[in-house]
Amino acid sequence: MSRPSSWSIGRHRPRPEGPLTGYKIAYPMISADSRRGGFNGVALGRSQVYGAVADAVCIQSPRHRCPSSWCDCGFYCFHALSDARDLACDPQYQHCVLLEIAASGRFVRYELGLRYARQTVRSVRLGRCGCGRPATALADGGPGVVGWRRLHPVCGLCAGPRPVVTPEAFGVLCGNVPVRAEEALDDTLAPLAGVGAEVDDATIVPLLSAEVALLQARLDQVQSRLEQLTHRSD
Ligand SMILES: [Zn+2]
Ligand SMILES: [Zn+2]
């Protein structure tokens, strides 16, 4: 992710003893042969896929070490999980997952986060499916990069019969990283009373039939209007 313009450089602080914890968003990726999992950055690193442990590389110049003070290179993260969550609300990042990472090596500290050389992904949170329910699996979706397909977090209902990767399986593909569904999405949003999370065939068939009848009626209207217009222009 590129450094947001609102990020000001923080005051110098003593070097930490160990890795620093941070939070960021990324697209979950699976290799073309489905044997490896990884992550794709959302801005500067869009063309690259990184694994659970990775060293930053500069795409502008291979001649300096990341993060260079006169370049934008390096990994980026926020100090606070809430800031990463806020960024995930932007429509262009809707299908991202949230990563908790450990930053090590050279780093630059900003008020909101860090730019750093080495990253270890400690855990992955799947977040929400596009429908608003907690995501429980990952399905194919969106554009990939050479050698990698992009995955989208989905819930069981939206996944339907599509093949999915379970959180556990994705964690193993990434080198045993814990991957979990969001512990608790806020309870402000809930299904309407009487509409359960499980919709069985007996319920869905009349609903779909009613929807088809409505569509048919609308199609008839459009067709007759089209005929009127066609005859008028004859
Ligand atoms: Zn650079
Ligand atoms: Zn869904």
Side-chain angles (χ1 to χ4, degrees):
M1 105 184 125
S2 59
R3 176 162 64 96
S5 52
S6 58
W7 282 31
S8 52
I9 294 179
R11 283 178 313 210
H12 176 75
R13 294 181 200 191
R15 284 212 157 253
E17 296 281 307
L20 294 156
T21 299
Y23 304 90
K24 66 192 293 178
I25 58 173
Y27 296 112
M29 309 292 283
I30 190 165
S31 62
D33 62 4
S34 303
R35 285 166 187 261
R36 284 174 300 148
F39 305 93
N40 183 214
V42 297
L44 277 181
R46 255 169 206 235
S47 57
Q48 293 170 326
V49 174
Y50 54 84
V53 181
D55 290 304
V57 283
C58 180
I59 50 173
Q60 334 262 8
S61 161
R63 279 185 233 128
H64 60 249
R65 290 196 297 161
C66 296
S68 163
S69 52
W70 52 269
C71 187
D72 269 347
C73 59
F75 287 116
Y76 285 82
C77 74
F78 289 106
H79 299 307
L81 173 61
S82 57
D83 284 327
R85 260 194 228 285
D86 286 352
L87 189 62
C89 295
D90 187 303
Q92 58 179 323
Y93 307 134
Q94 192 191 359
H95 301 294
C96 283
V97 291
L98 282 162
L99 309 184
E100 182 188 321
I101 60 90
S104 51
R106 291 155 54 86
F107 72 95
V108 182
R109 185 189 287 270
Y110 301 95
E111 201 176 324
L112 287 178
L114 300 170
R115 182 158 66 95
Y116 51 100
R118 177 160 250 243
Q119 173 172 277
T120 304
V121 178
R122 281 186 176 147
S123 69
V124 180
R125 289 171 162 92
L126 294 190
R128 286 173 196 269
C129 172
C131 73
R133 294 184 193 89
T136 49
L138 293 161
D140 256 311
V145 298
V146 176
W148 295 85
R149 303 195 308 272
R150 189 187 283 182
L151 299 171
H152 281 177
V154 289
C155 73
L157 273 178
C158 291
R162 277 192 294 164
V164 295
V165 185
T166 63
E168 298 75 24
F170 185 69
V172 171
L173 292 177
C174 292
N176 296 317
V177 176
V179 180
R180 55 178 186 267
E182 201 69 36
E183 288 134 15
L185 296 178
D186 57 66
D187 53 9
T188 311
L189 298 173
L192 286 170
V195 183
E198 303 295 328
V199 181
D200 57 26
D201 288 356
T203 315
I204 199 81
V205 168
L207 282 175
L208 289 176
S209 306
E211 216 158 300
V212 169
L214 274 174
L215 286 171
Q216 191 64 55
R218 179 79 186 120
L219 192 63
D220 288 346
Q221 268 182 356
V222 171
Q223 210 150 15
S224 80
R225 179 82 183 119
L226 192 63
E227 268 165 29
Q228 282 173 0
L229 289 169
T230 316
H231 287 145
R232 198 186 294 169
S233 59
D234 279 346

